[in-house]
Amino acid sequence: MPAWPEVRRTDAVMADGRSLAYYDRPGAPPRDGIDVRPPEAADPASQLRRDPLTGEWTIVAGHRQERTFQPTAQETRAQGCPLCPSTPERATEIPATDYQVVVFDNRFPALTRTAAGIETPDERPGIGRCQVVCFTDDHDARLADLDADRVLLIVQAWADSVARLREDPRLVSCLVFENRGADIGVTLTHPHGQVYAYPFLPPREGRLLDAAARHHADTGRILALDVADAEERDAVRLLAATDHWTAHVPRAARWPFEVRITPRRAIASLDGLHADEAAEFAVLYPRLLRALDDAYGVPMPYVAAWHQAPLAGGAPGAQLFLEVFSTRRAPDRLKYLAGSESAAGVWINDIAPERAAAMLREALA
Ligand SMILES: [Zn+2]
């Protein structure tokens, strides 16, 4: 089996106590910069509240109102981007003059490791972890433009982050995701993603795991792999099929553009990927992202999120796959979640998945 390319991780602590990890290929400069900023009052309180009518948890994090919200072009020029490298004149979140990939605790976290407060069946402290993953120090890049080795380094940083989150038994489920585009509510345009570790199972992950467990009990098989196989045979919504991955538009896609990228092998979590699988993903994924932007010739706002087994494992049939979806339904129009979607949870998709797949295949060609 091919070996993973070497990665050097350097752990650091920011002035206010937050953790930061650099991921570099050998030969990068030492990462020994000091965060010189005055520490701000950190550790804001957030709270989990469960609605007894639905049984679902809400994270109440009032402090996030103060976070950097869509700085204008002038403000960004004046204050600078907090995810760019530091310069002698300006200290940012990353105390280095360049970097490859970094993972650090979010300055405005919805969930923290040290949240405290009252605990009742319907109320708990907002224990968890919210991390930022910077994909490159190039402010103007998009993940779609990064070379395969950088995307592979990002996969290695994701996998390592997931493995480290397993060490905290209070964390139940972890979502590795990227929000891209102002139209989807992104506050910073610097190419970055996030990792959220929740102290409960998010409802959608719960539904995915229930369906996977039922199928596994009935057939001994992995539902997400069976569906990906059927989509590959059917080919109508298929976008790509490589040695280790397939990509298709789901038959019942909820969003105007929606893509599932599934490894061919049964893999529960990101840290279960093999080197050859990750290396192939690092070529395929940027291609698919470029096709999304090319479909209408305007940047697609998107959410990309990995679904995986809970951190403690023990989920029969659970399968790792990446879901990418966009709210864009025309070059100049976005889909908004209105009554049926928001109130009833029933999606209405204005673009037939077969048509979206045809558009994306054309953009891939
Ligand atoms: Zn930047």
Side-chain angles (χ1 to χ4, degrees):
M1 192 185 303
W4 287 96
E6 202 179 323
V7 55
R8 184 190 75 199
R9 188 183 78 209
T10 311
D11 290 320
V13 180
M14 297 158 94
D16 57 11
R18 286 180 288 142
S19 313
L20 183 150
Y22 297 89
Y23 293 86
D24 288 298
R25 292 290 182 230
R31 303 303 184 189
D32 51 5
I34 305 289
D35 182 6
V36 295
R37 299 170 298 172
E40 283 178 28
D43 200 26
S46 72
Q47 206 184 29
L48 305 180
R49 295 184 192 171
R50 185 162 55 186
D51 186 328
L53 298 194
T54 63
E56 291 180 359
W57 290 96
T58 300
I59 302 171
V60 181
H63 62 275
R64 280 167 58 90
Q65 283 298 347
E66 283 121 56
R67 81 188 152 150
T68 325
F69 187 73
Q70 295 294 13
T72 62
Q74 280 113 334
E75 278 167 350
T76 304
R77 264 197 300 279
Q79 298 163 10
C81 165
L83 307 185
C84 274
S86 290
T87 64
E89 294 76 38
R90 193 174 69 85
T92 69
E93 292 282 75
I94 300 108
T97 53
D98 72 280
Y99 63 81
Q100 294 179 4
V101 174
V102 294
V103 178
F104 59 92
D105 287 324
N106 195 314
R107 188 170 160 211
F108 301 101
L111 300 162
T112 68
R113 280 181 286 181
T114 51
I118 47 170
E119 206 155 339
T120 70
D122 288 330
E123 200 166 322
R124 286 157 56 182
I127 294 283
R129 193 89 184 260
C130 294
Q131 297 171 311
V132 176
V133 182
C134 290
F135 299 147
T136 165
D137 61 6
D138 178 357
H139 183 87
D140 298 314
R142 17 166 229 179
L143 202 161
D145 298 322
L146 299 179
D147 65 41
D149 185 60
R150 175 56 56 89
V151 179
L152 181 56
L153 184 62
I154 294 166
V155 175
Q156 290 179 283
W158 283 336
D160 187 57
S161 300
V162 171
R164 297 179 100 186
L165 290 168
R166 290 188 205 288
E167 293 165 13
D168 186 340
R170 301 173 301 173
L171 307 179
V172 172
S173 180
C174 147
L175 189 73
V176 174
F177 66 102
E178 179 193 2
N179 298 331
R180 204 285 296 260
D183 291 326
I184 222 148
V186 176
T187 50
L188 296 166
T189 58
H190 193 110
H192 73 286
Q194 303 185 66
V195 179
Y196 268 38
Y198 303 96
F200 55 84
L201 196 61
R204 189 143 190 272
E205 299 299 337
R207 286 198 294 277
L208 288 167
L209 292 173
D210 284 347
R214 274 197 305 275
H215 188 75
H216 193 261
D218 290 348
T219 66
R221 301 178 56 81
I222 308 287
L223 178 59
L225 297 187
D226 283 353
V227 169
D229 282 350
E231 290 286 354
E232 186 179 7
R233 283 195 303 274
D234 186 39
V236 181
R237 288 169 297 272
L238 188 69
L239 302 179
T242 67
D243 287 349
H244 299 296
W245 300 82
T246 60
H248 68 269
V249 177
R251 193 167 49 88
R254 298 175 302 160
W255 302 92
F257 288 88
E258 188 171 323
V259 177
R260 283 181 187 158
I261 308 172
T262 315
R264 289 189 185 275
R265 190 170 59 88
I267 305 172
S269 302
L270 272 165
D271 50 344
L273 281 170
H274 290 163
D276 50 350
E277 292 161 338
E280 207 181 79
F281 173 82
V283 175
L284 172 66
Y285 184 43
R287 270 189 72 213
L288 289 167
L289 291 181
R290 287 195 297 273
L292 272 174
D293 278 355
D294 292 346
Y296 284 128
V298 289
M300 281 272 192
Y302 67 77
V303 173
W306 288 99
H307 294 286
Q308 47 187 346
L311 288 166
Q319 172 66 26
L320 174 76
F321 69 94
L322 178 65
E323 184 172 62
V324 186
F325 58 84
S326 177
T327 55
R328 187 174 296 293
R329 61 188 185 92
D332 57 352
R333 253 175 303 162
L334 299 176
K335 172 175 183 61
Y336 290 100
L337 298 191
S340 186
E341 291 87 357
S342 302
V346 179
W347 258 249
I348 301 162
N349 188 351
D350 303 306
I351 298 187
E354 295 73 25
R355 161 135 183 79
M359 287 176 69
L360 290 173
R361 272 200 304 269
E362 197 175 315
L364 278 166

